[in-house]
Amino acid sequence: MTWLPTTKKELERLGWDELDVILFSGDAYIDHPSFAAAVIGRILEAEGLKVAIVPQPDWHGDYRDFKKLGRPRLFFGIAPGAMDSMVNKYTANKRLRSEDAYSPDGRHDLRPEYPTIVYTRILKELYPDVPVVIGGIEASLRRLTHYDYWQDRLMPTILLPSGADLLIYGMGEKPMVSLAQLLVEQDCEIDVKMFRNLMARFPQRQTVSLLQKNEIPGGIRPDDIVLHSHEECLHNKRAQAENFRHIEEESNKYAAQRIIQEVDGRYAVVNPPYQPLTQDELDRSFDLPYTRLPHPKYKGKRIPAYDMIKFSVCLHRGCFGGCAFCTISAHQGKFITSRSKESILREVKAITQLPDFKGYLSDLGGPSANMYAMHGKNLDICHKCKRPSCIHPGVCKNLNTDHSALLDIYHAVDKIPGIKKSFIGSGVRYDLLLHDTGDERINRINRQYTEELITRHVSGRLKVAPEHTSDNVLQLMRKPSFKLFHEFKRIFDDINRRKNLRQQIIPYFISSHPGCTAEDMAELAAQTKDLNFQLEQVQDFTPTPMTVSTEAWYTGLHPYTLEPVFSAKTQKEKLAQRQFFFWYKPSERQNLLRLLRQMGRTDLIQRLFGGR
């Protein structure tokens, strides 16, 4: 059992005196397919390259962590973390989170803010002639002009402040392998000048380069989408809103166009993405020889994110929900690629061999728990479609919502020796379960799935995400009507009654989303109280780069309609909304009574507090 090397001593044990690629990771090194640095490292290793990972390098002082392995033959790679560094560090109120889930013992001091920028600048200072390739969620969401909530300003492509030579966006296996193969073919040490020449001669899919106008391969073509410049967006919020619609649509097309944006006298050139991985390609990624364990250097230390996923299995990639506040479509895309049953069962069997496994899988899921093996019935229609969601404003007639393949996975997993129970920890899309397909066979299977999910795969609490109760807000969120949640809860309660189970639904809700008012939140409080909920899983909307919701929040315009959208922005406005989640707490009562009287909603005072 071996990890990718992280130190000079580990290189010496392997007998290596040179590395092809050195990856710098903002996360602790966990050799597991849920962590990007491990995946990219193993993918490159499978191509025959010598790869090392430097996890959470110290960016202070003499930069010894950046120098200890020397220069690589091909390039440095930056993997800033499985979660955006700023979301990982701060709450929606810009307060420090209680812990960094991807660091040993949850420590906050092991990664900088914006590690992509910090790490790249250090490497460029130490090794100016070595190419630096950036990727991961942080770079992917900042590939073009974007609003940064933490700095409260519009920022250019992250290539500009970082000084990196290439940005890979989305899931990195295909573009990273293609890039590595191109560089290896040169059969020499790669410097920045050669690297940039190669990128100009052989433009790589799913990458972004910052180029002079005369360097753009083929020049600006009629079929390119030319966005408003960064400088224009700085002075015109409507231009930023108009840009985003193109960015999101091209992120969700099977065959996308090239996107070009001028910034600071140069041009960010976004080459179209690869088509989604095939099942064989996804299997190959998950079947690489991961140890599935944190590096031995963390012995005796707790890494919260690892504790959460070590007994879980990801079944597929992609999500066609298209939720307006979610970044998945910008990074993974809407097309589902599912692992084969054989690959999933191999991983489950490997988990049963872990020394501390007690027989309980924490999750058989994915970005959404129940999209496994779902796709269009007629793929030609899908290949021409640019809808960001396949299920909003209604379920697409071309979408196959049959849950039978997922049921088959559940049944096969539960038969494996050593498995006592498999739980579903990922969020379930109940709108898929309740959708009337017009095919009674599929409807019957989906009812069977719902019953088996609730009776066999809930660890006492089932997570679902209605997000709000207001139809107006839900429309902006691209979420289904709250009436569907009522229907799902009725089914959930009925099954629990019939089976004599005592289980709970745990609904997730968001306050201060664009379009949401304090009165909408008051209605949410009343409606959820009527359903006997005292809410726990709640959050204030956090504007993260490259989502419809963030663009609406920043610009005040919906990117698709360009109509004005209200957003609560001040701390006072946001608090007025958030406190309605906690109407049942005595400490909130007087404030809420005052707000409801100001709104003229004494009817809600009666519903929430019995008229007091």
Side-chain angles (χ1 to χ4, degrees):
M1 184 180 287
T2 58
W3 285 259
L4 296 169
T6 65
T7 65
K8 197 78 172 171
K9 278 188 177 179
E10 290 169 14
L11 290 185
E12 290 169 358
R13 284 192 211 114
L14 293 168
W16 294 358
D17 55 11
E18 181 184 53
L19 287 161
D20 296 307
V21 177
I22 302 174
L23 302 175
F24 286 86
S25 171
D27 291 342
Y29 173 31
I30 300 167
D31 195 42
H32 187 285
S34 292
F35 297 89
V39 173
I40 296 303
R42 292 296 186 185
I43 281 281
L44 292 174
E45 178 189 51
E47 292 295 311
L49 300 183
K50 294 177 180 176
V51 185
I53 293 178
V54 180
Q56 300 187 311
D58 186 351
W59 68 100
H60 307 93
D62 61 4
Y63 302 152
R64 66 183 63 185
D65 285 345
F66 293 88
K67 295 185 284 190
K68 65 183 181 182
L69 300 182
R71 66 158 289 162
R73 190 169 69 93
L74 302 182
F75 61 88
F76 289 116
I78 308 296
M83 188 174 177
D84 185 88
S85 67
M86 301 305 285
V87 177
N88 187 42
K89 188 167 186 176
Y90 296 107
T91 68
N93 289 324
K94 301 182 181 178
R95 293 177 180 162
L96 194 67
R97 294 193 186 275
S98 58
E99 62 182 11
D100 181 335
Y102 295 86
S103 294
D105 293 332
R107 287 176 55 180
H108 279 293
D109 58 344
L110 295 178
R111 86 171 81 222
E113 296 179 358
Y114 309 103
T116 300
I117 295 173
V118 174
Y119 294 171
T120 302
R121 285 177 173 176
I122 291 170
L123 290 169
K124 283 297 181 183
E125 179 184 333
L126 297 174
Y127 305 97
D129 62 328
V130 179
V132 177
V133 179
I134 60 177
I137 193 79
E138 185 167 83
S140 193
L141 301 186
R142 293 169 173 79
R143 57 189 183 256
L144 292 163
T145 296
H146 58 279
Y147 172 69
D148 187 287
Y149 174 65
W150 300 275
Q151 299 184 56
D152 190 24
R153 62 191 178 114
L154 215 56
M155 300 293 291
T157 169
I158 199 170
L159 283 167
L160 193 63
S162 69
D165 300 291
L166 190 73
L167 185 158
I168 290 177
Y169 66 92
M171 306 305 283
E173 291 103 330
K174 275 189 174 181
M176 188 58 85
V177 166
S178 175
L179 174 65
Q181 289 174 343
L182 174 65
L183 299 181
V184 167
E185 286 172 5
Q186 310 313 306
D187 197 25
C188 64
E189 190 171 86
I190 304 295
D191 61 21
V192 167
K193 183 177 180 182
M194 179 184 290
F195 183 89
R196 291 181 176 172
N197 285 338
L198 286 168
M199 294 306 100
R201 289 171 53 208
F202 307 103
Q204 299 292 292
R205 280 187 168 270
Q206 213 166 305
T207 65
V208 189
S209 297
L210 196 55
L211 305 171
Q212 298 294 334
K213 190 171 185 179
N214 62 359
E215 295 174 328
I216 299 173
I220 298 177
R221 304 186 296 251
D223 61 341
D224 289 331
I225 294 175
V226 181
L227 302 178
H228 298 291
S229 71
H230 174 70
E231 288 71 23
E232 185 176 353
C233 292
L234 290 174
H235 299 103
N236 182 353
K237 289 184 176 181
R238 184 186 178 99
Q240 175 65 11
E242 288 176 348
N243 276 0
F244 184 76
R245 177 172 182 171
H246 292 298
I247 295 168
E248 187 184 44
E249 286 181 343
E250 296 310 305
S251 295
N252 285 292
K253 280 168 61 176
Y254 194 78
Q257 293 167 253
R258 189 169 69 171
I259 296 176
I260 297 176
Q261 184 185 34
E262 186 176 3
V263 50
D264 195 32
R266 288 182 285 173
Y267 292 81
V269 179
V270 182
N271 291 314
Y274 281 96
Q275 292 172 357
L277 295 180
T278 64
Q279 185 172 87
D280 285 347
E281 288 169 336
L282 187 59
D283 283 355
R284 178 173 179 262
S285 180
F286 275 90
D287 290 347
L288 292 167
Y290 304 100
T291 65
R292 299 188 63 86
L293 299 168
H295 190 276
K297 69 184 285 186
Y298 306 116
K299 186 176 181 181
K301 296 180 179 179
R302 178 183 66 93
I303 303 175
Y306 173 67
D307 290 343
M308 184 180 296
I309 58 85
K310 65 180 176 179
F311 301 139
S312 71
V313 180
C314 181
L315 307 185
H316 72 272
R317 284 231 185 118
C319 177
F320 49 69
C323 297
F325 49 80
C326 182
T327 60
I328 289 175
S329 68
H331 193 64
Q332 291 196 21
K334 72 177 182 182
F335 294 102
I336 304 296
T337 300
S338 300
R339 296 171 63 187
S340 69
K341 180 178 176 180
E342 293 74 22
S343 175
I344 293 166
L345 297 183
R346 279 195 295 273
E347 184 172 3
V348 173
K349 289 172 184 175
I351 290 173
T352 66
Q353 301 306 306
L354 293 175
D356 53 346
F357 181 66
K358 307 298 184 186
Y360 299 96
L361 291 174
S362 59
D363 190 22
L364 289 173
S368 286
N370 57 319
M371 291 185 182
Y372 180 82
M374 291 186 184
H375 50 73
K377 301 167 193 171
N378 181 343
L379 293 180
D380 287 340
I381 294 174
C382 297
H383 294 171
K384 297 171 186 173
C385 176
K386 61 180 182 181
R387 274 179 60 175
S389 171
C390 302
I391 51 180
H392 186 272
V395 177
C396 177
K397 293 179 180 178
N398 188 46
L399 181 65
N400 177 10
T401 62
D402 186 340
H403 285 70
S404 57
L406 189 51
L407 276 173
D408 182 49
I409 295 293
Y410 292 177
H411 297 163
V413 166
D414 287 348
K415 289 178 181 175
I416 292 176
I419 297 296
K420 296 176 182 175
K421 197 152 190 174
S422 58
F423 297 116
I424 309 307
S426 303
V428 174
R429 289 299 303 232
Y430 53 81
D431 43 350
L432 286 174
L433 301 179
L434 300 177
H435 173 60
D436 184 353
T437 66
D439 182 326
E440 185 47 38
R441 182 190 68 83
I442 295 177
N443 290 345
R444 186 174 64 253
I445 288 168
N446 294 352
R447 288 193 296 270
Q448 179 190 347
Y449 174 86
T450 303
E451 178 130 351
E452 291 198 19
L453 169 73
I454 293 168
T455 57
R456 301 184 188 179
H457 300 286
V458 175
S459 59
R461 296 153 68 92
L462 177 65
K463 293 189 295 187
V464 295
E467 308 294 8
H468 214 285
T469 58
S470 160
D471 281 344
N472 178 56
V473 178
L474 289 166
Q475 183 70 16
L476 288 164
M477 289 178 164
R478 296 185 185 145
K479 296 288 287 189
S481 170
F482 196 60
K483 293 175 184 175
L484 281 184
F485 177 76
H486 278 270
E487 174 63 11
F488 182 71
K489 185 177 185 303
R490 184 192 64 76
I491 293 169
F492 182 89
D493 291 343
D494 178 63
I495 291 172
N496 275 275
R497 219 171 9 253
R498 285 193 287 107
K499 301 293 184 179
N500 197 27
L501 297 169
R502 292 185 177 181
Q503 300 183 140
Q504 295 176 289
I505 286 183
I506 305 299
Y508 283 59
F509 289 96
I510 297 176
S511 60
S512 300
H513 187 276
C516 180
T517 65
E519 190 167 350
D520 290 324
M521 292 301 299
E523 289 277 5
L524 183 153
Q527 289 197 47
T528 53
K529 184 199 174 187
D530 290 345
L531 291 169
N532 297 316
F533 285 116
Q534 290 190 359
L535 300 179
E536 304 171 23
Q537 298 294 335
V538 297
Q539 66 180 61
D540 204 20
F541 171 66
T542 303
T544 52
M546 205 166 283
T547 71
V548 175
S549 300
T550 296
E551 299 302 326
W553 195 89
Y554 166 70
T555 66
L557 302 169
H558 194 285
Y560 282 74
T561 65
L562 299 179
E563 293 177 356
V565 178
F566 165 78
S567 292
K569 292 191 174 182
T570 67
Q571 288 299 316
K572 183 178 179 181
E573 288 174 324
K574 290 160 77 71
L575 178 61
Q577 292 203 18
R578 181 177 174 79
Q579 62 190 357
F580 276 106
F581 285 139
F582 308 109
W583 60 268
Y584 53 88
K585 293 185 176 181
S587 60
E588 305 294 339
R589 181 168 298 186
Q590 289 307 312
N591 275 338
L592 295 179
L593 287 171
R594 178 178 52 80
L595 282 169
L596 289 169
R597 289 186 185 115
Q598 287 175 357
M599 293 175 193
R601 295 302 304 271
T602 54
D603 59 313
L604 294 180
I605 292 176
Q606 177 67 33
R607 285 174 67 185
L608 287 172
F609 305 112
R612 285 173 285 175

